[in-house]
Amino acid sequence: MDIRGSGGMDVRQLRYFLGIVEHGSISRAAETLRVAQPALSLHLKRMEEDFGCQLVLRTARGVVPTESGRRLAQRAAALIGQMDGLRDEVRAVEAVPAGPATVGIPTSLGPVLTVPLALAVRRTHPQIRLRVVEGLSGHMLEWVLSGQLDLALVFGTKEMGGLETELVARERLHLVGPADDPLLRGRNAIPFAEALSLPLILPGRPHGVREEVEHAALLARASVTVALEIDALEQIKALVAEGCGYTVLSDRVARHGAAAERLTGLPIVDPQIDRTILLAHAAGRPMSAAARATHGILSGILAGLTQDGGWR
């Protein structure tokens, strides 16, 4: 507080004035408020100058408010009561998060995240109305920036303007083919150049895997042979299992789903291709208490998966 006077008041100044009136003594008020007595006296003088009238009378028994001082004390008490009530209300919101929270999860992460997240939010903060949107990672970026999502998991390493991101994990990408494919049998890895020459079944842009493959191909001055474009992960794996082509996935994704037992994969080398998983929210747009609570729960689940080897 600036006790030298500024032509205006804040809540602390009103509290000081109420303290003087309630105690009837500047010295006792100073002791209770833990303010130096000369500073409190100067504060009172500045207030009277600001209002242009005398607020208290000094008597042998102490200080008593004038009519103007009593009016100020009444209004100040009401204002401080409202401020205290507002503070309690805001703290209650933080203590018991409630309201909507919308989270975007890429389709490839849905099987390991959506149900655990929904259960944890429901059990911990039942007043949060959680909405989980599954889709392509590229779409998640647009939806977070536009405000349709409070936070989302996205793939990529490039600079993402307008977003604040946290590193979750890195995954190595594999070439995935039918389990009985003679081309993959008995091998420990496959060169990237050879993988590019095969008929690939990939999602369309802006899917994270598609962008990682095309970026690596660009650096290698090669082209990608895309036989089919399908924006549906389980259907891609089913077609690969039927021998219609190959795809590029992380080992974790390849090992989950109905077609998993009919698939096999080899790490891609020369160069190795990794993708980064990030947790993102819009920069400069504060998250609600519900969104922050959900963010904390999701971060905990992600940390557990990383520590337990869910990602490698």
Side-chain angles (χ1 to χ4, degrees):
M1 183 195 71
D2 184 355
I3 63 172
R4 294 169 296 180
S6 59
M9 290 184 301
D10 58 24
V11 175
R12 183 177 297 181
Q13 290 175 302
L14 293 177
R15 290 187 189 276
Y16 285 1
F17 179 71
L18 276 181
I20 294 171
V21 171
E22 290 171 358
H23 287 88
S25 165
I26 293 178
S27 60
R28 287 198 297 270
E31 183 179 351
T32 301
L33 296 169
R34 297 182 179 180
V35 178
Q37 183 174 335
L40 199 57
S41 296
L42 183 57
H43 152 76
L44 178 58
K45 179 182 177 182
R46 295 302 188 190
M47 284 191 72
E48 290 180 329
E49 291 175 354
D50 288 343
F51 280 103
C53 62
Q54 191 171 3
L55 298 175
V56 299
L57 296 173
R58 290 164 176 80
T59 70
R61 296 182 178 180
V63 295
V64 294
T66 63
E67 183 62 31
S68 297
R70 281 194 293 270
R71 177 64 61 87
L72 176 59
Q74 290 171 356
R75 295 294 299 274
L79 286 171
I80 290 172
Q82 291 175 0
M83 289 297 297
D84 288 343
L86 178 59
R87 184 181 295 107
D88 291 342
E89 183 179 336
V90 171
R91 286 174 176 170
V93 169
E94 296 293 328
V96 186
T102 308
V103 180
I105 297 178
T107 304
S108 62
L109 299 178
V112 294
L113 286 178
T114 298
V115 171
L117 176 63
L119 288 174
V121 170
R122 186 65 179 167
R123 290 167 180 167
T124 309
H125 300 295
Q127 296 186 49
I128 291 179
R129 298 192 305 277
L130 178 67
R131 181 185 176 210
V132 176
V133 178
E134 291 193 16
L136 298 182
S137 174
H139 295 158
M140 298 296 168
L141 293 173
E142 300 170 10
W143 295 338
V144 171
L145 288 171
S146 67
Q148 297 179 63
L149 297 175
D150 293 310
L151 59 148
L153 284 160
V154 298
F155 298 117
T157 56
K158 62 183 179 182
E159 186 69 24
M160 299 179 185
L163 294 179
E164 291 186 13
T165 60
E166 306 164 33
L167 175 64
V168 173
R170 289 187 176 89
E171 293 186 309
R172 187 175 183 181
L173 295 182
H174 290 58
L175 178 75
V176 177
D180 58 353
D181 191 285
L183 178 66
L184 306 183
R185 189 180 303 130
R187 303 174 67 177
N188 296 321
I190 186 167
F192 181 54
E194 183 179 352
L196 288 181
S197 68
L198 300 172
L200 297 177
I201 305 175
L202 295 173
R205 303 180 188 92
H207 192 281
V209 165
R210 177 69 177 267
E211 292 192 344
E212 293 290 351
V213 172
E214 291 193 340
H215 179 67
L218 181 64
L219 294 178
R221 298 182 179 181
S223 59
V224 183
T225 306
V226 181
L228 284 170
E229 279 192 2
I230 301 179
D231 292 343
L233 179 60
E234 292 306 314
Q235 284 83 338
I236 288 177
K237 291 195 288 185
L239 287 169
V240 171
E242 292 295 327
C244 296
Y246 302 82
T247 194
V248 177
L249 298 169
S250 69
D251 182 57
R252 174 191 55 79
V253 174
R255 287 186 286 106
H256 285 85
E261 293 184 357
R262 296 185 291 146
L263 298 174
T264 190
L266 293 175
I268 296 173
V269 296
D270 301 326
Q272 174 178 314
I273 307 177
D274 296 320
R275 70 172 177 179
T276 303
I277 304 174
L278 305 167
L279 181 56
H281 65 274
R285 186 171 64 236
M287 288 191 289
S288 67
R292 286 198 301 275
T294 302
H295 178 280
I297 292 172
L298 180 56
S299 295
I301 294 172
L302 293 169
L305 284 172
T306 303
Q307 293 171 0
D308 294 342
W311 280 305
R312 289 179 277 191

